[in-house]
Amino acid sequence: MHRYKLLSGVSFVLFILVAAFTTTALAYDHQREENVGPCTGRSDNPHWSNPGQDLSAHGFTYCEDGQPRDYLRANTGLWKWTINGNTQLTTGVGEGPNKILVDGNPRRICENGKYFTMTNHLVIEGTDQWTKTTSSLNDPTFNTPTDVVCG
């Protein structure tokens, strides 16, 4: 009887640990906006569109203080969510030296489905500093992007 209670207790603790890890792993997602060194990176939603029309996404890296940096880069991907996983459709890169703003702008013709953007931001001001943002906030229950539906 004591051995059964001990095993039940250990099993319960392991169950709680696995549940906590799984919930944390599924719920984690990058921020829509995040600091990257002295600047800010942001991923914006693709706009609403009808099938056959242009679907435009944006990822910005910008410096609010108006001071140009040695180098800025926003590498933005437009992704489509499917039940079998996410597919990157296209990318847009904005980059350059002595800039205060760059805009990665991938474009695609809209087809039925759910879309989101993900951007890698880089600021070089003496050292390399980078972050990643996304327009999609995933629902941990269904693991689907909630921001854009086309169709």
Side-chain angles (χ1 to χ4, degrees), residues 58-123:
H58 290 274
F60 302 95
T61 304
Y62 58 96
C63 304
E64 301 90 345
D65 62 6
Q67 298 299 312
R69 299 307 193 254
D70 292 343
Y71 190 82
L72 297 180
R73 181 178 184 160
N75 183 2
T76 305
L78 177 61
W79 293 73
K80 185 172 184 179
W81 180 89
T82 66
I83 193 118
N84 297 322
N86 303 327
T87 303
Q88 186 172 3
L89 301 173
T90 185
T91 60
V93 178
E95 62 185 333
N98 301 311
K99 302 259 184 188
I100 60 172
L101 169 71
V102 290
D103 175 13
N105 180 219
R107 303 174 83 91
R108 182 76 173 213
I109 297 299
C110 184
E111 299 172 2
N112 289 336
K114 296 181 179 184
Y115 295 83
F116 64 97
T117 61
M118 188 177 294
T119 307
N120 289 308
H121 307 273
L122 171 67
V123 174

Side-chain angles (χ1 to χ4, degrees), residues 22-53:
T22 303
T23 302
T24 302
L26 289 176
Y28 175 76
D29 204 345
H30 297 284
Q31 299 293 318
R32 180 183 309 265
E33 184 172 281
E34 197 163 295
N35 289 338
V36 54
C39 303
T40 301
R42 180 174 173 91
S43 288
D44 285 333
N45 294 341
H47 62 269
W48 278 95
S49 187
N50 292 317
Q53 293 182 338

